[in-house]
Amino acid sequence: MMKQSLAALACLALVPMSVTAAQVYAPFPGTVKLHRNAAGIPNAVDILGDCGYWGAETGLVGSVSWNVTLRTTALTCGGNGTGNQNEVKHTFADGYTFRQWHFNKTSNSYDRTCDRCQIGDAGATGNAPTARAHLQRDKNGTLDTAWISPNLVDGQYVSGPLGSF
């Protein structure tokens, strides 16, 4: 009886869990640049890094489905025009979307379900003047500010947690 119970518990560990709360990590090591709303409250985070940094990862911890939208296949470190940013996003059941922009396309740039998977290399697609990852959480066009850690400051070097929701 005890062995059967333990076996059942072990099987539960293999069932993919839906992520309802998430921790956000830097997709690669870099320097923080906060985007702020009119009230001065951070509403998105850029991580400035080295162009071509191999293996930019998705920012959410936990196995979630990612949709990749490639608006350019150019490898760029200095921007290639507004609207041309590559994007990976996950939409939660409550309607919130977590987005990450500006990576350069690689063979890892495709839709899938994964936990902190590689989605490309650090780049500067869209209107980004330098290599970076832009991370934001939004719903119906409104940016959520609550997920960003109050301890993050412009110029801070990070390689781990940025916040959670």
Side-chain angles (χ1 to χ4, degrees):
M1 176 77 166
M2 180 71 151
K3 286 183 184 180
Q4 288 175 332
S5 296
L6 290 174
L9 284 174
C11 287
L12 283 176
L14 300 175
V15 175
M17 297 294 176
S18 172
V19 176
T20 55
Q23 190 167 27
V24 180
Y25 268 61
F28 48 79
T31 305
V32 171
K33 180 180 183 312
L34 297 170
H35 287 254
R36 299 177 187 278
N37 63 20
I41 299 168
N43 58 18
V45 176
D46 279 358
I47 304 300
L48 309 178
D50 295 327
C51 190
Y53 177 89
W54 181 82
E57 298 177 337
T58 53
L60 294 180
V61 175
S63 186
V64 296
S65 61
W66 292 100
N67 176 261
V68 173
T69 301
L70 297 173
R71 297 183 178 104
T72 183
T73 56
L75 300 179
T76 180
C77 295
N80 61 352
T82 301
N84 289 327
Q85 70 273 9
N86 291 332
E87 175 185 69
V88 62
K89 70 179 178 180
H90 172 73
T91 302
F92 289 88
D94 63 3
Y96 276 96
T97 300
F98 186 85
R99 302 173 195 277
Q100 187 170 319
W101 295 340
H102 303 308
F103 57 91
N104 282 326
K105 178 192 178 294
T106 68
S107 61
N108 290 313
S109 304
Y110 60 92
D111 296 354
R112 64 184 179 274
T113 298
C114 58
D115 180 0
R116 302 261 309 139
C117 55
Q118 294 181 5
I119 50 148
D121 291 341
T125 64
N127 61 353
T130 59
R132 68 189 61 219
H134 174 90
L135 301 107
Q136 71 180 50
R137 184 173 188 249
D138 60 79
K139 185 174 187 178
N140 300 324
T142 301
L143 293 173
D144 173 34
T145 61
W147 72 271
I148 301 169
S149 170
N151 298 325
L152 284 180
V153 295
D154 285 328
Q156 175 183 357
Y157 181 82
V158 292
S159 61
L162 302 175
S164 60
F165 54 89

